[in-house]
Amino acid sequence: MTLPNVDSAPVPAAGAAPAGPASDEFFQVEAHGIDPIPDAERHGGAKDLFWLWFGSNLTFTYVINGTLAVAFGLSFWAATAVVVLGGLAFFVVSALGLAGIRTGTATLVISRAAFGIHGNFPAGLLNWIVGIGYTILNTVVGTMALDALFAELGWHGGDFARAVALAGTLAMTFAVAMWGHATVQAAERWSAYILAVGFAILIVLVLPDTDTSAGSGGTTFHAWTLALVVMIAGPVSYLPMPSDYTRYLPRTTTLRSITWWGAIGGMLSSVLLGVVGVAAATQADMTDPVAGVADLLPGWFQGLFLFLVVGGSVTNSILTLYSSSLNLQVLGIPWSRARGIVVSTAVIAAGSLATLFWVDFTESLTSFLSVLLVVFAPWGGVFVADTLMRRCRYDADALHDATPGSTYWYTRGIHAAGLAALAAGITIAALCAESALWTGPLVAPLDGDYTLAGALVAGLLYWVLARREPQFRRPQPRG
């Protein structure tokens, strides 16, 4: 049988004019879900990806990550180097969007080629859970900043004010994600214009007083590995979603153009804000990063700074919330994209309430980032290996075909090579991870956090197991 294409747009009558981008317009609820985008409805260009990734990564989370790098014991220059290395990961994220252009569908549909039509389910479920967790963290950062902004404006409402701040942060995220792809693209672009100006002022105010000698001589390789794990977690969290935002681009869009425009956008914002965090950590106590940075700023900028934190958190959460609704469809849940948004938002609201009122935020952040990499890095290793082996060519129709014997059916819908490589990668990553939740038994003998080794192991094992299969011996379809 063929998997249902949830949220499919109505098929035009014979002889009717192509719909064009009418099904993907600003402030109109998007008609499509994970069903392939027809050529007649493709629009936009690679430059749109610059604003998408630039705007969505103008988030205070990167400032927090920069402060953590210094907290781990790195010097200013070592921490800055880690920030830049983490930003380079956006080149991989952006390049993976080529599969979306060629197939017209979401990343987690395309990963069925690596794991099988049914074997993709556990990977999809893990990615949905971790993606929701990342959105919760961003929502909590925005809520705390909005609550502080209320206090700045004179309203000290305690827990009630914080609950109102959470509702406001979620409402802004929900509205844009519900409208869909075109509104997400436009919102990220216009938010980028505003937030870029504000964060530029923040950079000018924070960087001049940086103590570049802080931590000199105290840097250890162990601390460097911990910081790299934290910094690269942001880009890696996007691995299951680049095609979600390229599937509307015309087929003529090139790999080079999407890679450069998307990577420069994501890297520019993440690196600049990461360096701000590093610089701030050399000047003040960053136990509470929002309050710590605020203490470095003049009074006239305090309110604007908190507004930037709220805005950055919302723009980042919009992307992950939108992709989560597609992810639910990938899992075979027969909901519309809109209903998936509602369900995901409810889960995020519950998780955010727990994080705000019952757990320690900083500990939750570092623990979650470790868990994120344990799952996403090995998954990315398998997916990247599969993409390279196929030269990014897929049978687009077969990705939605659950008929026994179809291209990506393998054995009972499961590709053993993909799942075995993923399991091995997650195991290695867990053994090498150091977090507040657990410390893997390999951390001490290796003297560092080598969670990223899980991606390398998963990718290499997949190549060894799958390279002799018939599908990789014949020319790949031009899906």
Side-chain angles (χ1 to χ4, degrees):
M1 66 175 180
T2 300
L3 291 173
N5 285 336
V6 204
D7 272 352
S8 294
V11 178
S23 64
D24 184 41
E25 289 191 339
F26 186 49
F27 281 156
Q28 288 189 12
V29 177
E30 180 187 358
H32 288 289
I34 62 172
D35 51 301
I37 307 301
D39 287 345
E41 298 182 36
R42 303 286 191 98
H43 61 94
K47 291 182 181 179
D48 295 334
L49 298 176
F50 172 85
W51 295 109
L52 178 83
W53 294 113
F54 178 69
S56 64
N57 285 286
L58 284 171
T59 171
F60 195 74
T61 303
Y62 288 107
V63 178
I64 297 175
N65 292 348
T67 67
L68 288 174
V70 176
F72 291 146
L74 295 190
S75 67
F76 172 82
W77 293 112
T80 299
V82 171
V83 168
V84 174
L85 282 175
L88 289 172
F90 277 104
F91 278 92
V92 177
V93 173
S94 196
L96 289 175
L98 180 64
I101 294 171
R102 289 181 169 174
T103 63
T105 192
T107 301
L108 283 171
V109 174
I110 299 165
S111 66
R112 288 170 175 166
F115 300 103
I117 296 293
H118 296 323
N120 194 53
F121 183 90
L125 180 61
L126 284 171
N127 281 325
W128 181 78
I129 293 171
V130 177
I132 288 294
Y134 199 77
T135 310
I136 288 171
L137 288 179
N138 265 309
T139 300
V140 168
V141 171
T143 298
M144 293 169 66
L146 187 54
D147 184 32
L149 184 57
F150 289 158
E152 185 78 12
L153 296 174
W155 182 32
H156 301 273
D159 288 348
F160 179 70
R162 180 161 288 194
V164 171
L166 173 60
T169 304
L170 280 173
M172 289 184 283
T173 305
F174 173 82
V176 176
M178 175 63 80
W179 271 311
H181 178 268
T183 308
V184 169
Q185 293 268 24
E188 296 294 347
R189 177 187 289 266
W190 288 102
S191 297
Y193 295 156
I194 299 170
L195 295 176
V197 174
F199 277 116
I201 297 173
L202 176 67
I203 292 170
V204 170
L205 293 174
V206 172
L207 288 187
D209 294 324
T210 302
D211 180 6
T212 57
S213 64
S216 296
T219 296
T220 64
F221 189 72
H222 191 159
W224 194 90
T225 63
L226 288 172
L228 182 60
V229 164
V230 169
M231 289 310 307
I232 207 168
V236 167
S237 70
Y238 292 119
L239 285 176
M241 63 181 75
S243 290
D244 301 5
Y245 304 101
T246 58
R247 71 195 204 281
Y248 277 94
L249 293 178
R251 291 182 187 273
T252 53
T253 311
T254 65
L255 172 63
R256 177 178 294 182
S257 63
I258 65 166
T259 300
W260 279 98
W261 282 112
I264 295 301
M267 187 175 177
L268 184 62
S269 48
S270 65
V271 169
L272 287 175
L273 294 183
V275 172
V276 168
V278 173
T282 68
Q283 305 173 51
D285 178 9
M286 289 292 141
T287 305
D288 180 342
V290 174
V293 173
D295 288 343
L296 301 176
L297 303 173
W300 62 267
F301 193 69
Q302 297 277 341
L304 291 174
F305 163 68
L306 294 171
F307 170 79
L308 291 176
V309 177
V310 176
S313 297
V314 169
T315 58
N316 193 269
S317 295
I318 286 169
L319 248 63
T320 48
L321 178 57
Y322 173 81
S323 288
S324 75
S325 66
L326 300 179
N327 196 342
L328 289 175
Q329 292 185 346
V330 171
L331 295 176
I333 299 174
W335 290 341
S336 66
R337 186 191 62 81
R339 181 176 293 183
I341 290 282
V342 173
V343 172
S344 293
T345 302
V347 175
I348 291 165
S352 298
L353 282 170
T355 305
L356 283 165
F357 294 105
W358 294 303
V359 301
D360 178 81
F361 174 70
T362 301
E363 182 176 311
S364 298
L365 174 64
T366 53
S367 299
F368 177 74
L369 291 178
S370 295
V371 173
L372 183 154
L373 276 183
V374 166
V375 174
F376 275 157
W379 182 91
V382 174
F383 186 62
V384 170
D386 185 77
T387 300
L388 292 174
M389 292 170 73
R390 298 180 193 277
R391 298 183 181 180
C392 205
R393 299 203 178 277
Y394 298 88
D395 185 333
D397 293 332
L399 290 170
H400 299 270
D401 189 354
T403 304
S406 61
T407 304
Y408 304 118
W409 179 255
Y410 303 109
T411 303
R412 298 181 179 179
I414 295 173
H415 190 202
L419 288 180
L422 177 63
I426 289 177
T427 300
I428 292 298
L431 292 173
C432 296
E434 180 177 1
S435 74
L437 294 179
W438 82 90
T439 298
L442 296 181
V443 171
L446 295 176
D447 192 27
D449 186 328
Y450 294 92
T451 308
L452 293 174
L456 184 62
V457 168
L460 288 175
L461 182 58
Y462 182 77
W463 178 78
V464 169
L465 295 176
R467 67 192 180 95
R468 297 187 180 278
E469 295 177 2
Q471 60 177 319
F472 294 111
R473 290 171 176 265
R474 59 177 178 261
Q476 297 299 315
R478 294 180 174 271

